[in-house]
Amino acid sequence: MSTFVYMTSCDGCGHCVDICPSDIMHIDPTTRRAYNIEPNFCWECYSCVKACPQNAIDARGYADFAPMGHSVRVLREEEKGTISWKIKFRDGREKNFVSPIRTTPWGSIKGPAEYEDPNTQEYSTQQLAHEPDALKVEALPTISRNQFVEGPL
Ligand code: SF4
Ligand code: SF4
């Protein structure tokens, strides 16, 4: 479900532009309002939806769950720390989903360049760069060979 902006609600703050991993939220130079320049390249991560302080960004529902005449509204309530998704069906039914907003302070996440470069031994391990520290665990979970069942059950 790609996103779109209600231009009458947007104030052009640019948070969605800063956060979009696909770099498709842009500010229109004439209207000074945000818009999704290429909905086909939307990752559907909804980072922009969650970052928008004006609730100006919504998602276009896919035809399989929100066919013509249905609507999907997203409501961000920072004081409650929640994002609510309201889906209204054409026959009047409504479905509501509430999920928590990630509360990591803006700009507090370490950028990739701020980590130390991996040393040559680390290149030959199965772990990805900065694991397990970046996952805030002491060690990654492992599974031993005898936990696998061989042959038909
Ligand atoms: Fe960008 Fe994600 Fe918003 Fe799509 S949902 S426009 S990829 S931030
Ligand atoms: Fe507009 Fe919301 Fe994007 Fe700010 S975050 S530019 S208000 S759509």
Side-chain angles (χ1 to χ4, degrees), residues 1-6 13 15-17 19-21 25 36 42-60 72-78 82-86 99 101-102 106:
M1 300 192 297
S2 63
T3 58
F4 68 97
V5 177
Y6 289 109
C13 71
H15 284 343
C16 57
V17 179
I19 207 165
C20 176
M25 293 304 272
N36 185 331
C42 180
W43 297 11
E44 303 172 357
C45 67
Y46 306 124
S47 301
C48 58
V49 172
K50 295 170 193 167
C52 177
Q54 305 299 331
N55 293 317
I57 307 178
D58 258 3
R60 292 192 199 287
V72 184
R73 281 292 288 138
V74 189
L75 178 64
R76 176 185 198 266
E77 293 179 286
E78 190 145 13
T82 58
I83 296 275
S84 313
W85 296 80
K86 176 183 284 202
S99 45
I101 297 176
R102 181 173 172 163
W106 193 271

Side-chain angles (χ1 to χ4, degrees), residues 11-29:
D11 65 5
C13 71
H15 284 343
C16 57
V17 179
D18 293 341
I19 207 165
C20 176
S22 191
D23 198 20
I24 55 174
M25 293 304 272
H26 285 211
I27 301 286
D28 183 294

Side-chain angles (χ1 to χ4, degrees), residues 50-123:
K50 295 170 193 167
C52 177
Q54 305 299 331
N55 293 317
I57 307 178
D58 258 3
R60 292 192 199 287
Y62 284 134
D64 54 355
F65 84 92
M68 212 161 55
H70 294 46
S71 76
V72 184
R73 281 292 288 138
V74 189
L75 178 64
R76 176 185 198 266
E77 293 179 286
E78 190 145 13
E79 19 357 295
K80 289 194 203 162
T82 58
I83 296 275
S84 313
W85 296 80
K86 176 183 284 202
I87 301 172
K88 257 193 193 163
F89 295 90
R90 203 162 28 174
D91 61 7
R93 278 179 305 140
E94 248 182 42
K95 286 200 173 179
N96 294 286
F97 303 90
V98 182
S99 45
I101 297 176
R102 181 173 172 163
T103 51
T104 313
W106 193 271
S108 66
I109 295 177
K110 225 164 136 180
E114 294 167 66
Y115 285 90
E116 274 183 35
D117 290 342
N119 61 41
T120 42
Q121 281 157 346
E122 284 170 323
Y123 285 131

Side-chain angles (χ1 to χ4, degrees), residues 131-148:
E131 281 182 351
D133 301 349
L135 298 173
K136 301 191 184 350
V137 292
E138 295 209 349
L140 293 183
T142 54
I143 188 162
S144 66
R145 200 168 180 75
N146 59 15
Q147 286 174 280
F148 289 100

